[in-house]
Amino acid sequence: MATIQKDEYVFEIDIEKTINYYKTHSLCECDCCENFYAQINGKFPKLESFLFDFGVDISKPDEIMSIELDNTIQYITVDYTVCGKVTTMGQYEIDIQDNQFLNLVITDGFASPNEQTSEYFTISVYNIELPWVLDKPFPEPIQTKNIKKLKAFKR
């Protein structure tokens, strides 16, 4: 086990177990997820470095929630599993300015479907927006009139 401190958080993690988890867990095959996988490597170097410290592969999240807006995909949350535990929970999210302003929320235990069977926590990344890069038709955008009440989607 390794001890890592990030902001107010302290973690006890099994880096090798986390690395092995990312070598074997399955990925979603929907178009929005494939769009994410196709371009995330190298896109956010600070986020990639942050996740790498935990043994997490940025290109293999456990869960992605997204919506289609105009010609981009808003990845509302992207969840990653880390094998280990949070020994000191911070009071706020961890913010990273990395080509976009990203919020990282740490959840001790279950946050999204994953294939982990032992102790773990989840790192959820909020506010990733990416263009459509697949050689497939862009998915039909959602009707934004109903989500304009959300501060994050005011345009």
Side-chain angles (χ1 to χ4, degrees):
M1 294 290 256
T3 301
I4 294 179
Q5 181 167 357
K6 300 282 187 180
D7 287 356
E8 301 173 328
Y9 293 83
V10 179
F11 308 93
E12 291 292 327
I13 61 167
D14 187 331
I15 295 174
E16 284 302 313
K17 190 172 185 179
T18 302
I19 290 169
N20 288 332
Y21 173 76
Y22 282 94
K23 287 179 181 176
T24 62
H25 91 284
S26 57
L27 296 175
C28 177
E29 296 178 6
C30 78
D31 289 345
C32 288
C33 288
E34 287 184 359
N35 185 67
F36 180 89
Y37 310 144
Q39 62 184 307
I40 196 63
N41 284 323
K43 189 73 121 184
F44 301 101
K46 292 177 186 174
L47 175 61
E48 197 162 355
S49 176
F50 181 97
L51 294 172
F52 180 81
D53 290 347
F54 292 90
V56 171
D57 184 337
I58 194 171
S59 68
K60 296 182 177 180
D62 284 296
E63 184 73 16
I64 295 176
M65 292 175 43
S66 64
I67 57 173
E68 302 81 21
L69 295 172
D70 302 322
N71 292 320
T72 64
I73 305 296
Q74 177 75 41
Y75 293 96
I76 299 167
T77 182
V78 181
D79 296 338
Y80 297 94
T81 297
V82 179
C83 301
K85 63 183 178 178
V86 181
T87 56
T88 303
M89 183 67 80
Q91 189 172 10
Y92 302 105
E93 78 274 4
I94 298 170
D95 297 324
I96 295 177
Q97 178 62 46
D98 193 10
N99 298 318
Q100 293 175 16
F101 185 74
L102 307 173
N103 308 105
L104 284 65
V105 175
I106 310 300
T107 305
D108 200 5
F110 180 81
S112 66
N114 66 50
E115 299 167 5
Q116 187 50 252
T117 56
S118 59
E119 192 170 42
Y120 70 94
F121 60 92
T122 303
I123 299 173
S124 299
V125 183
Y126 290 80
N127 300 323
I128 294 176
E129 188 170 321
L130 296 173
W132 188 253
V133 297
L134 297 183
D135 190 22
K136 296 179 179 184
F138 185 77
E140 191 67 34
I142 65 164
Q143 297 297 323
T144 59
K145 67 180 181 181
N146 294 326
I147 66 167
K148 287 187 179 185
K149 291 182 180 182
L150 298 174
K151 290 178 188 174
F153 295 101
K154 282 188 175 183
R155 292 186 186 243

